[in-house]
Amino acid sequence: MRNRTVGINIRVTVTEKKKVTMLAKKCGLSLSEYLRQRALGYEPGGHPPKEAFYVLDKLDEIAENCSVRDGVAINAQTDRMRDLLIGGN
């Protein structure tokens, strides 16, 4: 883990802080981590809704009732979609 010991202080309006805090929360990051990533040129992505993973789980259940060949193909696609949702390649 990095040893972060130096702080950077900035002044913002109440509205700006609310907006940045909301953006950080949407990405599943702390305010500090969100600001750090943005300052270093990264564009943090948001978290997909839980419902998206629920749908993929249901598709996996459907695949269990298909032929082995079709089930394997469906599972491969749902795995690929999961990877895309969580930022994998």
Side-chain angles (χ1 to χ4, degrees):
M1 182 176 215
R2 294 182 185 164
N3 187 13
R4 295 185 175 112
T5 59
V6 179
I8 299 173
N9 297 310
I10 61 169
R11 298 272 181 214
V12 296
T13 66
V14 172
T15 302
E16 289 170 332
K17 183 176 180 184
K18 285 180 182 179
K19 182 174 181 180
V20 175
T21 301
M22 179 200 63
L23 291 168
K25 186 175 181 177
K26 185 176 178 183
C27 293
L29 299 172
S30 68
L31 180 58
S32 292
E33 183 60 25
Y34 180 81
L35 292 172
R36 186 178 303 111
Q37 287 189 21
R38 295 297 293 153
L40 295 173
Y42 301 110
E43 291 191 35
H47 281 234
K50 289 184 278 185
E51 293 81 7
F53 292 102
Y54 176 79
V55 169
L56 292 173
D57 290 343
K58 289 298 177 189
L59 287 171
D60 284 336
E61 289 177 21
I62 291 169
E64 291 176 12
N65 296 317
C66 293
S67 68
V68 172
R69 181 175 159 230
D70 290 339
V72 168
I74 292 169
N75 286 141
Q77 290 303 316
T78 56
D79 288 346
R80 183 168 159 19
M81 286 186 259
R82 276 188 193 86
D83 288 343
L84 291 170
L85 285 170
I86 60 173
N89 295 322

